[in-house]
Amino acid sequence: MFCYQCEQTAKGTGCTAFGVCGKDPETSALQDLLIYATLGIGQYAHRARQFGSKNHDADIFVTEALFTTITNVDFDPERLKSLLHKAYNIKEKVKQQYLDACRQSEKTPEELSGPATWKPATSLDELVRQGEAVSLENNIKEYGEDIAGLMHLILYGLKGMAAYVDHAQILGQEDDNVYAFFHETLNFLTKGQFTLDELLKTALKCGEVNIRIMELLDKANTGTYGHPVPTAVPITAKKGKAIVVSGHDLKDLDELLKQTEGKGINIYTHGEMLPTHAYPELKKYPHFVGNYGGAWQDQQKEFDAFPGAILMTTNCIQKPKESYKNRIFTSGLVAWPGVTHISDRNFAPVIEAALAAPGFPEDEPEKTIMVGFGHNAVMGVADQVINAVKSGAIRHFFLIGGCDGAKTGRNYYTQLAQMVPQDSVILTLACGKYRFNKLEFGDIGGIPRLLDVGQCNDAYSAIQIAVALANAFNTDVNGLPLSFILSWYEQKAVCILLSLLCLGIKNMRLGPSLPAFVTPAALKVLQDNFNLMTITTPEADLQAILG
């Protein structure tokens, strides 16, 4: 196997024997094959669209397939086998649409090669062999590290974008131009000859389209559940039966809250689900009682201690311990061998497991943390914020957020947040916030010094806040007293970084380490154009930022 798509990849270069995430070589090969099959769909779908022939099933499948291969999503070979055969069937349908369109237009169809010609093997073992033959490592051997690294930067950007497209589509928000871009870019990755310049331009185009995607998801979430409002979320237990929900999917949480009404079960969030407590249509449920635990990498210890049922939506699952394997459930695209999967949002098995578990024996003394400072909430007090900046009460803004992870070096973000001067405000988002969101930061004239913007996709909110401030001060984002200090782990962080770069934002700091697929040559271009930096020490970085 070869995989270097996450920040924790082995030795900082690539997992070659077993994934640090828990992915075995067989699963890795099947995921590589699913990507290969998806490239083939893109080849035909892009060409069919040139004749006005579209296939919505292909649009949806491509995003689901890409999302499936994100770090910590699908570890189940049997589910991957099923997806591979579905991929082939969809490819053949889109191929026929393309051939029909050519015939109707009296055009000669192109003879396509590579992924477009792929046919799935019958057995799982044979599919694994096919996957091994199309490893992404082949790109490195064929094109060299620089070209292959930028190809993979684009691919990983598409994976992250696909996650957000999937969430938005589930709640009824779609944009056909986005689907067209996916097919066009997948086809681009099969063309066989590349330059560094065109690859970088395509990567930045991914960032541009991702802003549109995050806008769609913001509209989907707020249109369905209301704009987040500042909310104090208990982080302590309530007596009674319990279910904890992790991942990112708001609809899964909503359905579970509906199905558990009146059943004497308290619902807790975990990881990236914490911000859901701020949505009016979710926080209205009295049995939606608080947040349990922290970020995804601590789940084995935290789920082992949790006295109830566990629901994993979207990504972030780790190998379940045997101690809780019978009370953890997956939904959506998440899967682990031997774990019960809920495919239709009928959460009766989860509820039964929660009722059979002991639950929390007593109430704990309540402690809370604040969430809900999305763009709508912050813009509601924009005048207050602007006046605080003009008066000098607020000296600087720091966006400290992104993915969390288990790799050493992430205490940097805790230390940095603690060192930020008292006259500065910290914006945070995604699970990286767990490094410091239970600490006390106080306020500046009633404005909290720590503003939790939301999930990773709520980088859209952070962008809107930054743009609004820039407009108020007649400058651009780079002219603001605002610094971006980002942490990354998986592919959604990749597409967000590309979005920030496409906006022309400079002087960002990224850590705890740079992506293995960004080679020195590619990094130099990013440094020359955007002054993208790696984190060093909290003291040195603060000194460089504030002078």
Side-chain angles (χ1 to χ4, degrees):
M1 69 175 285
F2 176 78
C3 182
Y4 64 172
Q5 68 178 6
C6 86
E7 193 271 333
Q8 292 181 185
T9 193
K11 299 179 181 179
T13 57
C15 295
T16 56
F18 205 89
V20 172
C21 66
K23 182 167 59 176
D24 59 51
E26 291 74 20
T27 300
S28 181
L30 293 170
Q31 289 188 1
D32 284 349
L33 187 58
L34 184 57
I35 290 297
Y36 191 75
T38 304
L39 291 168
I41 295 172
Q43 286 178 280
Y44 282 118
H46 174 62
R47 285 168 173 80
R49 278 176 168 268
Q50 307 313 300
F51 294 94
S53 181
K54 304 173 185 179
N55 186 311
H56 194 244
D57 287 342
D59 298 338
I60 298 297
F61 181 82
V62 161
T63 57
E64 289 183 343
L66 289 167
F67 189 3
T68 291
T69 66
I70 281 181
T71 307
N72 296 90
V73 177
D74 191 340
F75 295 83
D76 189 340
E78 289 298 330
R79 278 177 59 86
L80 290 168
K81 176 183 177 182
S82 176
L83 285 171
L84 285 163
H85 285 282
K86 184 175 180 180
Y88 176 71
N89 291 334
I90 286 177
K91 177 174 71 72
E92 290 300 295
K93 289 179 181 178
V94 179
K95 175 183 177 180
Q96 191 60 51
Q97 284 182 234
Y98 169 60
L99 296 176
D100 291 344
C102 287
R103 186 162 44 252
Q104 291 168 11
S105 302
E106 298 182 347
K107 301 286 186 181
T108 302
E110 293 181 57
E111 289 289 337
L112 300 182
S113 59
T117 66
W118 170 76
K119 294 182 179 180
T122 303
S123 73
L124 190 59
D125 286 343
E126 290 171 321
L127 286 170
V128 169
R129 301 291 86 78
Q130 284 187 327
E132 291 171 344
V134 296
S135 167
L136 294 183
E137 192 174 18
N138 292 349
N139 292 332
I140 299 174
K141 296 175 181 177
E142 182 175 357
Y143 302 109
E145 291 184 348
D146 292 334
I147 293 294
L150 287 173
M151 291 173 65
H152 297 159
L153 174 64
I154 293 166
L155 176 61
Y156 300 151
L158 289 178
K159 288 187 179 191
M161 295 159 66
Y164 297 147
V165 172
D166 182 65
H167 294 319
Q169 183 271 328
I170 285 170
L171 292 176
Q173 289 292 328
E174 298 176 88
D175 183 338
D176 187 64
N177 292 327
V178 168
Y179 293 130
F181 176 76
F182 272 86
H183 299 310
E184 178 185 8
T185 309
L186 289 167
N187 176 67
F188 167 78
L189 291 173
T190 69
K191 77 187 191 80
Q193 292 183 328
F194 306 93
T195 65
L196 286 175
D197 184 59
E198 67 179 343
L199 287 166
L200 283 167
K201 286 181 179 178
T202 302
L204 292 178
K205 182 66 176 179
C206 286
E208 178 185 337
V209 175
N210 186 56
I211 294 172
R212 170 59 179 156
I213 293 168
M214 291 193 295
E215 178 188 17
L216 286 173
L217 183 50
D218 179 77
K219 184 177 179 180
N221 288 340
T222 60
T224 306
Y225 302 111
H227 282 282
V229 296
T231 302
V233 182
I235 55 174
T236 43
K238 300 286 186 184
K239 181 180 180 180
K241 305 291 185 178
I243 297 173
V244 65
V245 184
S246 193
H248 304 77
D249 195 284
L250 273 61
K251 187 170 180 63
D252 277 357
L253 174 62
D254 185 27
E255 290 298 321
L256 180 66
L257 287 166
K258 290 174 182 175
Q259 293 174 36
T260 50
E261 279 190 289
K263 290 185 166 56
I265 301 173
N266 291 324
I267 307 299
Y268 298 81
T269 54
H270 176 270
E272 280 261 58
M273 294 299 278
L274 167 62
T276 59
H277 289 275
Y279 287 91
E281 290 302 308
L282 296 174
K283 65 181 295 183
K284 69 182 182 182
Y285 293 95
H287 62 299
F288 191 31
V289 298
N291 188 73
Y292 172 83
W296 66 273
Q297 76 274 6
D298 296 324
Q299 69 184 253
Q300 289 177 326
K301 177 180 68 175
E302 292 172 351
F303 290 173
D304 186 40
F306 186 74
I310 304 146
L311 177 62
M312 292 297 306
T313 73
T314 71
N315 56 314
C316 295
I317 193 170
Q318 289 184 302
K319 181 180 181 179
K321 289 185 176 181
E322 290 300 321
S323 58
Y324 62 83
K325 197 170 183 179
N326 66 335
R327 53 187 176 86
I328 186 171
F329 301 82
T330 58
S331 63
L333 300 176
V334 189
W336 193 282
V339 170
T340 300
H341 185 78
I342 308 296
S343 59
D344 55 2
R345 291 197 173 89
N346 178 358
F347 295 115
V350 187
I351 294 169
E352 291 171 9
L355 293 172
F360 288 103
E362 58 186 7
D363 291 341
E364 295 177 352
E366 187 172 273
K367 296 179 182 178
T368 63
I369 52 178
M370 291 295 298
V371 301
F373 295 98
H375 61 92
N376 192 66
V378 175
M379 290 302 98
V381 293
D383 290 344
Q384 186 180 349
V385 174
I386 291 166
N387 289 335
V389 175
K390 288 181 176 179
S391 71
I394 295 178
R395 174 187 178 191
H396 205 86
F397 295 89
F398 291 83
L399 194 155
I400 308 174
C403 306
D404 202 3
K407 192 174 178 180
T408 57
R410 291 180 179 268
N411 58 334
Y412 164 94
Y413 297 95
T414 310
Q415 295 168 3
L416 179 70
Q418 290 174 309
M419 291 179 185
V420 165
Q422 293 296 309
D423 59 359
S424 299
V425 171
I426 301 169
L427 300 170
T428 192
L429 51 82
C431 62
K433 68 174 69 101
Y434 282 106
R435 288 284 164 175
F436 48 80
N437 69 339
K438 295 175 184 177
L439 303 176
E440 284 293 333
F441 289 94
D443 66 88
I444 300 174
I447 301 168
R449 287 191 58 239
L450 181 66
L451 301 175
D452 184 345
V453 178
Q455 292 183 334
C456 59
N457 55 276
D458 290 311
Y460 177 77
S461 267
I463 291 169
Q464 296 307 305
I465 292 168
V467 169
L469 286 172
N471 290 337
F473 288 99
N474 297 313
T475 184
D476 60 13
V477 173
N478 291 317
L480 288 173
L482 168 64
S483 299
F484 292 78
I485 301 96
L486 310 175
S487 56
W488 83 283
Y489 171 67
E490 44 93 330
Q491 296 78 65
K492 284 181 283 184
V494 172
C495 68
I496 290 172
L497 176 63
L498 294 175
S499 292
L500 296 172
L501 292 174
C502 93
L503 290 171
I505 297 175
K506 298 181 178 180
N507 306 315
M508 292 185 289
R509 287 169 167 81
L510 181 65
S513 63
L514 287 175
F517 46 85
V518 176
T519 64
L523 177 61
K524 186 178 186 307
V525 175
L526 296 177
Q527 289 174 329
D528 290 346
N529 287 277
F530 304 101
N531 196 30
L532 183 67
M533 296 172 273
T534 55
I535 60 171
T536 59
T537 67
E539 296 87 351
D541 288 346
L542 272 177
Q543 175 64 29
I545 291 168
L546 297 175

